[in-house]
DNA sequence: CACCGTAGGCGTACAGGGTACGCCTACCAG
DNA sequence: CTGGTAGGCGTACCCTGTACGCCTACGGTG
């Protein structure tokens, strides 16, 4: 069995991640990644079937950085706090590589990292006495909320709140009075407040 | 001012939407849309700056189909029911064109359709006596949840619940016991239950 | 130590894709 | 009838992803 492979999947993934972080998602090209590695373009196809598989690798790498250990009772006493920590970890980790957000969230992925995250969340929910279908819905809701919130945060809030806060044109104000009003109120809400606030709503809903 | 434009933006948009619904997102090509309209490829650039703008047009068309009239008291008496109706409308409309989901959710859009939706939601929230920053967070949370849920639904649940439900391999079961258990419980939960269940959690959180 | 089969490595080439550019042509004012 | 204006589009270019086939390094065998 002559000639060992000279690259590892991990090298591939982090090279690709470097490219994305530097040149944005549009810059993620087989040629660019190959150049980053000092390898010929086609060399990549030794390690990856497809450009698709390369993207999957990037996503897995990013998601793999999520700390999925159960939050120790030291860090967070109540299950509410523990779930908040988990949600934050997901958001903060993905937020470290903003350009990969569309990738991570659009891709049809069956990520083991997300499965580990889900497993820990389910364990916390179980500890809170939430079971059966109720627990299924809780997990999906938390995940759905986190995904959507990350997206809104990084792709420019389509609610228009941010934009309206900076440019409250009177035309907009008259057609969307509530939106204009909310834009003003939104000025006092940080991204973090917003994210954690939404998590709190869900958790309130879970609390009997 | 000789020669009127022979196409309207609406024609462009619906041709593009036809292409997407037929050939999937990958089939959305300047050439394909042009062919659909019986026009030369470059003809499209009379109406659209960019492929990007074409995609925006598609997104706006889909989102424009959302009914953003306030749900009449006839349809839904309580504000909870009204908000549920609004969330459902968003989800159901986007679900009509599944291929556009990555587009609608990935794109950095400042959609007037979403603004109209937001305005109506804010009005309902105001009617429920929810004001100020609390209302901002409520809107963002509902929107974030809806976006994430739509995504999970159409891009293959990354929680793996669906996959696990059909293939509960023992290896997975032992490594992810809670996930395996939840997969079984998930079998009894329909997509609709799941979506509305998450909305209910948020609304419970909003109810004092 | 020579050799050769095997499997990794990569250069070339091609089929799409987006779009810049410039000519052609239909229309309307005079 | 005619000239100018602005829409319409064919051509051509560059940039992707990737199929294909040669080249080369290695390690077991004689």
């Amino acid at each position: 069995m002559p000639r060992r492979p000279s690259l590892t999947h991990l090298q591939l993934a982090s090279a690709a991640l470097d490219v994305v972080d530097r040149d944005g998602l549009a810059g993620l090209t087989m040629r660019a990644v190959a150049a980053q590695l000092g390898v010929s373009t086609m060399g990549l196809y030794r390690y990856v079937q497809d450009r698709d598989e390369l993207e999957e690798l990037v996503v897995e790498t990013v998601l793999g950085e999520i700390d999925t250990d159960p939050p120790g009772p030291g860090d967070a006493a109540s299950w509410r706090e523990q779930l908040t920590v988990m949600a934050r970890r997901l958001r903060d980790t993905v937020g470290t590589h903003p350009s990969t957000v569309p990738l991570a969230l659009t891709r049809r992925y069956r990520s083991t990292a997300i499965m580990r995250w889900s497993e820990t969340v389910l364990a916390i929910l179980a500890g809170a006495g939430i079971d059966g279908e109720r627990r299924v819905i809780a997990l999906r809701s938390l995940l759905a909320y986190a995904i959507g919130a990350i997206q809104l945060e990084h792709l420019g809030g389509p609610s228009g709140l941010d934009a309206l806060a900076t440019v409250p044109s009177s035309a907009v104000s008259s057609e969307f009075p509530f939106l204009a009003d909310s834009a003003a109120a939104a000025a006092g809400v940080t991204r973090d407040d917003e994210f954690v606030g939404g998590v709190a709503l869900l958790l309130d809903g879970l609390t009997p």
Side-chain angles (χ1 to χ4, degrees), chain A:
Chain A
M1 200 178 304
R3 218 146 167 209
R4 286 310 132 96
S6 50
L7 294 164
T8 66
H9 271 204
L10 198 133
Q11 281 176 297
L12 256 212
S14 64
L17 198 50
D18 284 351
V19 170
V20 170
D21 285 339
R22 176 163 28 87
D23 302 333
L25 193 50
L28 183 62
T29 292
M30 299 306 273
R31 286 169 171 82
V33 175
Q36 175 80 20
L37 287 165
V39 165
S40 89
T41 305
M42 292 312 287
L44 299 182
Y45 287 88
R46 279 282 149 205
Y47 305 95
V48 130
Q49 190 105 33
D50 224 86
R51 179 217 164 95
D52 222 64
E53 207 175 305
L54 181 77
E55 294 186 354
E56 225 165 272
L57 224 52
V58 172
V59 171
E60 261 312 293
T61 303
V62 172
L63 296 181
E65 293 175 1
I66 302 170
D67 178 4
T68 55
D69 292 340
D75 302 333
S78 71
W79 59 270
R80 284 185 56 112
E81 287 173 293
Q82 291 176 8
L83 288 177
T84 306
V85 167
M86 291 305 291
R88 274 192 110 93
R89 284 185 186 165
L90 176 54
R91 163 176 172 266
D92 294 345
T93 303
V94 175
T96 307
H97 307 282
S99 296
T100 68
V101 167
L103 223 55
L105 301 180
T106 285
R107 187 142 302 283
R108 177 182 277 97
Y109 54 105
R110 182 123 6 249
S111 153
T112 67
I114 287 293
M115 284 175 68
R116 276 188 287 122
W117 186 89
S118 298
E119 181 70 10
T120 302
V121 168
L122 287 171
I124 298 170
L125 287 168
I130 296 167
D131 284 313
E133 298 185 356
R134 196 166 157 68
R135 197 203 290 156
V136 170
I137 290 178
L139 169 65
R140 291 280 280 203
S141 301
L142 278 169
L143 187 56
Y145 170 75
I147 287 179
I150 291 168
Q151 205 141 332
L152 283 186
E153 212 168 308
H154 289 284
L155 299 181
S159 75
L161 290 188
D162 314 313
L164 287 175
T166 57
V167 186
S169 98
S170 59
V172 171
S173 298
S174 62
E175 195 180 354
F176 301 106
F178 283 107
L179 217 42
D181 180 72
S182 292
V189 185
T190 69
R191 300 273 190 188
D192 264 36
D193 290 343
E194 229 174 70
F195 182 77
V196 174
V199 173
L201 285 184
L202 282 171
L203 297 184
D204 286 346
L206 282 173
T207 310

